[in-house]
Every structure is written in C-alpha cells, then in structure tokens.
Amino acid sequence: MFMVMGLLTGALLTATVAPPEPYGPVPSPQQLAWQRMEYGMFCHFGINTFHNEEWTDGTKDPKTFLPTEFNGRQWVETAKKAGMQYLIVTAKHHDGFSIYPTEHGDYNVKASPWRDGKGDTLREVADACHELGLMLGVYLSPWDRHDPLYEDPPAYDERFKAMLAELLTWYAPVGEVWFDGAGSKGHVYDWNGYYSLIRELAPDALIAICGPDIRWIGNEDGLAPDTLWNVQEVTLPIPGAESGGEKRWYPSECDVPIRKGQWFYHTDGAANLRSLEELLEIYYRSVGLGAALLLNVSPDRRGQLPQADTQRLLEFGEVIRDTFNNNLAARALTSASNIRGNGKAFAPANATDGLEDTYWATNDGIHEAWLQLLFGEDRVFDRIVLQEHLPLGQRVKAHEIQAFVGNGWKTIATGTTIGYKRIHRLPEVKARRIRVHITDAFAPPAIEQIGLYKASSRETPY
Ligand code: FUL
C-alpha cells in the first residue's frame, strides 16, 4: 500500500515538473528552423555579371545577358557540399533585369539570346534546391532603375506583387524573401501589401531585411556584435526606420561576399577572394555569435561558380566539419548547482545529448547556476559551444567557463549573451573538470547544448 502510494507520488511529482515559462517573445517554428540552418549561400547573378559592374543603371542591352555554360545545379551542389543549408538568388537586382521569364515588363531573360529566350536560371536552381534539400530564397529588388512604372508607385506596387506571386508559385516552396533597402530612400512602397501577399501565397516563407522576420546585421562584413539579442524593437512595416516599436523575435543574418566588395562576378576579381583564415574569422563572428551566415558566391559569365571560389568554399566547409565533428562533452558525467524539479526532465545530461528538444533548466527564481562536466581523464579542447533552448526565448545575459587546473578553478572564457549559439575560441585547455557558469539571466536558464571541441589542424591556433 505504502509502496503503491510512493510510486504514485513519484509519478505525480515527475509529471508535475512544468517547464520554465517562456521569457519574452519567442521564435515562430519557421524562424527556429531557419536559425538552425546557420549557413547559406547568396548568389548574385544578372546583367551586371556581364559588365564588370556592381550596379548597372537599367540601360544595358538585355542581349548582353549571355551565360556560355549555365549550370544552376552546380551552384546548389557546391553549396550542399560546402555544408550550406539554403540558397538565395537575385531574381531581379536594382538594374531591373529579371533572370527568370517574368510575364511583367520587357527587361528579362526572354529578351536575351541565351537559349533562344527560353532559358530560366531560377528554374534550374530551384529544382536542384528542392531535389537536394536546400531551402530556396529569392531576392527581388524593390528599387528598380529600369522599369518606367517605378515613377508611379501604386502601379509599380501592382507589378512588384505580380512578380512576387510568380516567384512564390512557380518556384515553390520558397523559404525566404530578401528585400534589400538600397536605393529606396524617399520611395513609398506598399510594404504591407507585399507582406500579406507573401503570407497568403507562402505562409512558411520568412521576410528578411526590409521585412518582419529576419534582421540585417547592419554591415556587409559578416560580423555580428558580441552581445546579440534576438528580441528587438521593430517598427513595421519598415524595420529599423525609427527607433522604438514593437518587441519581436527578430533573428539576425550576416550577408557578406566571398570576394571582398563584390557581390557580382568581375573578370578581374579573383584577387579579392577571401582566405580560409578570413572565412573562419567571419564564421566565428557570425554563426559563433548566434547569427546566420549568408555567404555570397558570384556565378561567373559561364553561369557557374568559379573554380577558385568553389575550392575555397569546400575547404572552409571541411575545416568547420572537422572541428565540430566530435563533441567531447558527450561522454562527460554531468552535475549542476540546481536542477529544475530535481528529476530527469531538466537534468544537466540533457545539455550534452545532442538533442534539440531536451535541455538543462533550473528552478524558478534561480538565475545564476553552474553545470559541471567531469571526465575520467584529461580532455584537450580549444572550442566551446553553448546553445540556449530558444522555444523558451532568449534568457542568458552573462556566462563564464571554468576549468579545474592544478589545484583550483581557472576562468577560461567569459561572455554575455548565448542565444542560438555562442562559440568560444581559446588556447588549448587540458582538464578533467569544466564548469559552465551562467552568471546572470532574465529567467531560469534553459541550456540546450554544451560542446567541447578540438579545432582542426587546418585552423590557426587561437
Ligand atoms: C546591397 C546592394 O546594393 C548590393 O548590390 C547587394 O545586393 C547587397 C546584398 O545589398 O544593399
């Protein structure tokens, strides 16, 4: 009888340990899935590719758009091999030339002799993305230097929406719509109309930059700030237009070209190709600070990614894979200064199990706590990865990591926010006992992952 009661109480106790309350705005399922992709490819391809210019003015002859060996699948295959999860293509840049056969206006691929005016670059790229499992995104420039309708905003809005509708239906599913703000100062767009059309035709698509779902990091160097909050005050419909506004989940994207200063291909641009070291620095300061990295690789005049860029990209992908392929923390014995409900539901071992839906959490009112990793023998590592459980919002304000070396605790890394991810690079540490100490948080911390790694020998020691 007592035993039965005991069992019952035990079962009730485990069942009643509620998860912590979410703190503040939380990501939509689409935003969370997008954040988990981490790394994508941007491809700027268009009439500019054939003129060695970044911004042509809308007067270049459409006949000059003439790729010699177009291969959209090669872009996607390369992105996939490089470890990227999504790909965004410029359907139309500021010059107004569309690289897909739009039924609106006359400045597009149909007016080019390429494949007798029957070519469709986006078709090949979209099909390959869908087949190979990459999310497809489209860039459609609001600023249009060719279209005469641009001078008549309501008429232009209708055309723009018609083009959006083509993109979202012909190439579905589209996961991200990228609205560049360049050149648009003073022009009035029907942003709300654009947004509602996207929500209607592609409810899962995220609207980036001049849009409510993904925030531009604010530079074109691929660098996020050291303290990065996903919750931002946003004034819609044009985020960032004014300060203040509604607080919403607004994750960041770092867009940066692999060739310094060049989004489009230039015949003499190879010298601008970033080194492996520069790319790694960008990675650690974008993905490593909790933002997504959108790395631009420009297809050349053949309509393929240049050989040198492809090689660099693959090398970079291999090094990242090498560095993060073996989580030493997975085999640690874990303990913590506080465990929510004292049971398994929120145990510290959840932070080393590699699963997205389990996490270590503390009791309500506990905003400072540590989690310890204990090994049977010394472990050697120089990278530490931390991730918060974002369905509960972003909570951690400050943290530090300590290792037991000699006969005392030594601080080996400190930081502010964690958010989607925080990677610490540090000189090699050899220790049996490590503590991740959340020193301040807005709410009981909820830590989804902790990783310890040894960097690939192809990375320069930090
Ligand atoms: C900028 C544009 O002006 C560049 O040409 C490029 O498209 C970059 C991604 O955004 O605002």
Side-chain angles (χ1 to χ4, degrees), residues 107-183:
Y107 199 46
N108 60 64
V109 75
K110 291 197 282 194
S112 132
W114 178 59
R115 296 187 179 169
D116 296 325
K118 297 198 172 57
D120 181 351
T121 57
L122 220 48
R123 176 86 277 145
E124 275 192 41
V125 178
D127 287 352
C129 277
H130 298 146
E131 191 190 321
L132 301 176
L134 270 80
M135 184 195 86
L136 172 74
V138 292
Y139 169 115
L140 189 67
S141 172
W143 183 30
D144 193 309
R145 305 177 82 186
H146 176 88
D147 195 341
L149 290 187
Y150 192 70
E151 300 311 317
D152 177 0
Y156 180 75
D157 284 335
E158 287 319 302
R159 168 162 291 175
F160 194 81
K161 282 186 264 186
M163 293 178 78
L164 272 176
E166 289 175 338
L167 292 171
L168 299 175
T169 51
W170 294 355
Y171 308 102
V174 170
E176 182 170 343
V177 180
W178 220 90
F179 286 147
D180 193 332

Side-chain angles (χ1 to χ4, degrees), residues 8 10 24 47 89 97 124 155 169 185 199 233 242 252 300 342 352 378 389 422 437:
L8 273 177
I47 201 132
V89 191
F97 184 85
E124 275 192 41
T169 51
K185 209 161 183 225
R199 296 285 189 243
E233 286 188 356
E242 289 159 43
S252 300
D300 58 19
N342 287 320
T352 55
D378 278 347
H389 188 63
R422 159 79 70 165
H437 187 184

Side-chain angles (χ1 to χ4, degrees), residues 241-320:
E242 289 159 43
S243 54
E246 176 203 352
K247 276 197 174 167
R248 54 189 294 132
W249 191 266
Y250 203 31
S252 300
E253 185 170 51
C254 295
D255 61 320
V256 55
I258 197 166
R259 294 186 178 195
K260 260 170 259 162
Q262 299 181 337
W263 296 96
F264 282 92
Y265 175 77
H266 294 249
T267 44
D268 60 355
N272 293 4
L273 184 59
R274 290 179 203 267
S275 66
L276 173 64
E277 229 168 57
E278 285 172 293
L279 292 177
L280 286 166
E281 185 64 24
I282 286 173
Y283 179 84
Y284 284 113
R285 293 178 65 185
S286 52
V287 175
L289 291 168
L293 171 58
L294 179 61
L295 182 61
N296 186 81
V297 190
S298 337
D300 58 19
R301 291 184 181 179
R302 293 174 307 163
Q304 298 188 28
L305 305 183
Q307 180 68 20
D309 304 46
T310 302
Q311 251 167 20
R312 182 62 39 84
L313 208 58
L314 296 180
E315 191 188 5
F316 172 45
E318 276 167 24
V319 172
I320 295 294

Side-chain angles (χ1 to χ4, degrees), residues 42 44 54-55 93-94 139 178 180-182 220 255 263-264:
F42 213 173
H44 277 63
E54 282 295 296
W55 285 7
H93 204 251
H94 310 325
Y139 169 115
W178 220 90
D180 193 332
E220 295 183 337
D255 61 320
W263 296 96
F264 282 92

Side-chain angles (χ1 to χ4, degrees), residues 66-129:
L66 198 52
T68 53
E69 290 170 75
F70 181 79
N71 184 353
R73 196 179 166 93
Q74 184 247 6
W75 311 2
V76 184
E77 281 173 349
T78 307
K80 183 164 178 151
K81 271 193 219 142
M84 293 157 147
Q85 307 281 336
Y86 68 106
L87 193 147
I88 301 185
V89 191
T90 52
K92 173 188 85 150
H93 204 251
H94 310 325
D95 47 73
F97 184 85
S98 302
I99 64 167
Y100 77 99
T102 174
E103 281 164 8
H104 303 277
D106 53 6
Y107 199 46
N108 60 64
V109 75
K110 291 197 282 194
S112 132
W114 178 59
R115 296 187 179 169
D116 296 325
K118 297 198 172 57
D120 181 351
T121 57
L122 220 48
R123 176 86 277 145
E124 275 192 41
V125 178
D127 287 352
C129 277

